[in-house]
DNA sequence: GGTAGACCTGGACGC
DNA sequence: GCGTCCAGGTCTACC
């Protein structure tokens, strides 16, 4: 027996646009099907794993999502699945008006939501595995973590039990092995308090500082985690940002000079600067490769 | 506070 | 097919 769920979404929500808005839609255990325009995802629910396929059958903004589950779900599990999807799809970010008021370029297209993971821990691991490495390797690491530890993505307790050498040899995470296990141990021990990180009454600087304390998290990763936490006041400055500054914005000079120029350029967007930067970069990719929801699934 | 070098992997390149 | 070089962000040691 299977379960079918219906998910209400904000009136401007477009599944294909808002899922295919950040590279994590191509990282295991997420799978985007460009032909069917559906997101498949294995979730770890309290009564076991379940595979969900999310679609938006009516191709109009705000149309409800249909979620097909590969087995029957209890009421409790249905609630868990909905909460997980809500976090991934940013359904709780109802009002994009403040962002569009600061940067009206995205009002017509409705851009504003950036895809993420069902848990803070998964976002941390995905961010650490995206550091100091080319994108195909990030894809490999996440795929192997799912194949070796848990198809629905490793839970902190599962990863904390693994030896670093196992992660290195079987999941190809390289020198990140110790950092990932330490991160998992902290999460498993409850030392990474999701609610504190997500609490809007804590200011961005405090959250940023706390993120920097975590193993494997440096300035870039902490800034990226901020946006994944719905805090867009910092730019995540990596080589891609530098490339964007030079090639798209025409900035020149040393890395330090370009970095400062990028910071100055996006300061006009205030607390929304990451989104302004990100959608500029993302739409530039789409200008060359077509809409992200049509991109072929990488090998 | 700033900087140099190690860390690990996969891809590009030259032979 | 093999060896070498390079890119990528974090971390530590050192000045």
């Amino acid at each position: 027996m299977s379960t079918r769920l219906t998910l209400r979404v904000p009136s401007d929500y477009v599944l294909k646009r808002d899922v295919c808005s950040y590279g994590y839609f191509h990282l295991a255990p997420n799978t985007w099907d460009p032909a069917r325009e559906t997101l498949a995802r294995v979730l770890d629910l309290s009564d076991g794993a379940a595979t969900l396929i999310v679609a938006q059958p009516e191709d109009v903004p705000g149309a409800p999502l249909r979620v097909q589950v590969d087995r029957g779900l209890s009421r409790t599990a249905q609630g868990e699945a909905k909460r997980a999807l809500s976090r991934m799809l940013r359904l709780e970010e109802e009002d994009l008006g403040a962002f569009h008021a600061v940067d009206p370029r995205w009002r017509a297209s409705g851009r504003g939501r950036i895809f993420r993971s069902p848990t803070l821990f998964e976002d941390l691991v995905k961010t650490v595995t995206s550091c100091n490495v080319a994108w195909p390797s990030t894809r490999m690491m996440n795929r192997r973590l799912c194949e070796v530890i848990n198809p629905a993505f490793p839970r902190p307790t599962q990863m904390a039990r693994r030896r670093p050498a196992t992660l290195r040899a079987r999941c190809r995470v390289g020198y990140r092995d110790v950092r990932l296990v330490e991160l998992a141990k902290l999460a498993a021990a409850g030392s990474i308090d999701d609610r504190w990180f997500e609490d809007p009454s804590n200011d961005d600087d405090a959250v940023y500082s706390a993120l920097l304390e975590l193993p494997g998290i440096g300035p870039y990763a902490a800034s990226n985690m901020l946006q994944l936490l719905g805090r867009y006041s910092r730019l995540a400055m990596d080589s891609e940002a530098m490339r964007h500054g030079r090639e798209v914005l025409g900035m020149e000079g040393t890395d330090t000079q370009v970095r400062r120029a990028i910071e100055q350029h996006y300061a006009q967007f205030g607390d929304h600067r990451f989104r302004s930067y990100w959608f500029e970069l993302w739409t530039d990719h789409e200008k060359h490769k077509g809409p992200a929801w049509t991109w072929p699934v990488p090998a």
Side-chain angles (χ1 to χ4, degrees):
Chain A
M1 193 183 85
S2 62
T3 301
R4 178 178 287 192
L5 306 174
T6 300
L7 224 53
R8 292 179 197 278
V9 297
S11 59
D12 58 351
Y13 196 84
V14 176
L15 182 74
K16 60 187 178 186
R17 178 197 66 199
D18 295 335
V19 166
C20 306
S21 58
Y22 195 64
Y24 289 6
F25 81 103
H26 270 162
L27 291 186
N30 302 314
T31 308
W32 176 258
D33 183 335
R36 295 186 172 83
E37 297 183 347
T38 56
L39 172 72
R41 164 79 200 204
V42 186
L43 281 179
D44 231 346
L45 304 173
S46 56
D47 63 350
T51 301
L52 284 66
I53 296 177
V54 186
Q56 191 170 35
E58 280 183 80
D59 196 15
V60 292
L65 306 183
R66 187 191 66 210
V67 183
Q68 191 68 46
V69 189
D70 65 344
R71 65 175 176 82
L73 293 187
S74 66
R75 287 273 175 163
T76 302
Q78 288 182 27
E80 291 168 356
K82 285 184 176 179
R83 280 193 292 279
L85 288 174
S86 180
R87 188 182 196 280
M88 293 172 74
L89 307 177
R90 306 248 194 189
L91 300 183
E92 75 286 5
E93 290 185 22
E94 289 271 353
D95 183 16
L96 300 180
F99 170 49
H100 292 157
V102 170
D103 192 346
R105 291 177 298 170
W106 314 109
R107 186 174 286 141
S109 64
R111 289 274 188 200
R113 296 182 182 84
I114 302 175
F115 185 68
R116 61 178 174 174
S117 304
T119 64
L120 174 62
F121 178 69
E122 184 175 328
D123 273 337
L124 280 166
V125 173
K126 280 182 159 52
T127 296
V128 171
T129 58
S130 72
C131 287
N132 200 29
V133 75
W135 186 244
S137 294
T138 302
R139 283 181 43 77
M140 160 76 84
M141 289 181 224
N142 281 272
R143 185 167 67 239
R144 298 291 295 155
L145 286 169
C146 292
E147 287 171 357
V148 172
I149 303 178
N150 183 344
F153 203 81
R155 290 194 294 273
T157 49
Q158 294 174 313
M159 198 183 284
R161 283 199 300 269
R162 295 286 171 156
R163 287 182 305 163
T166 305
L167 288 190
R168 178 180 296 224
R170 298 189 62 197
C171 305
R172 318 295 296 166
V173 302
Y175 67 89
R176 300 163 195 79
D177 55 356
V178 173
R179 296 170 195 176
L180 287 171
V181 172
E182 290 302 313
L183 197 56
K185 284 180 177 171
L186 288 172
S191 302
I192 301 175
D193 183 351
D194 297 32
R195 278 182 294 186
W196 185 84
F197 280 101
E198 310 229 356
D199 183 348
S201 69
N202 294 316
D203 72 42
D204 292 0
D205 288 344
V207 174
Y208 180 75
S209 297
L211 288 163
L212 282 179
E213 296 295 312
L214 300 175
I217 303 293
Y220 160 76
S223 301
N224 192 56
M225 282 305 301
L226 280 187
Q227 69 87 4
L228 290 165
L229 286 162
R231 301 168 183 270
Y232 306 104
S233 61
R234 277 178 191 261
L235 298 175
M237 206 66 81
D238 62 356
S239 58
E240 186 66 357
M242 298 296 286
R243 185 201 61 76
H244 185 72
R246 291 183 198 277
E247 292 182 13
V248 179
L249 302 176
M251 293 166 177
E252 296 177 339
T254 63
D255 282 1
T256 304
Q257 289 169 327
V258 170
R259 194 172 293 116
R260 288 195 181 127
I262 292 172
E263 293 286 4
Q264 282 175 1
H265 177 79
Y266 289 103
Q268 62 185 303
F269 302 111
D271 285 347
H272 301 276
R273 71 191 72 184
F274 180 85
R275 286 198 276 201
S276 290
Y277 152 70
W278 182 255
F279 290 124
E280 227 177 65
L281 182 145
W282 196 251
T283 52
D284 186 61
H285 283 309
E286 291 190 321
K287 198 165 71 186
H288 295 101
K289 297 163 63 182
W293 61 83
T294 66
W295 296 352
V297 178

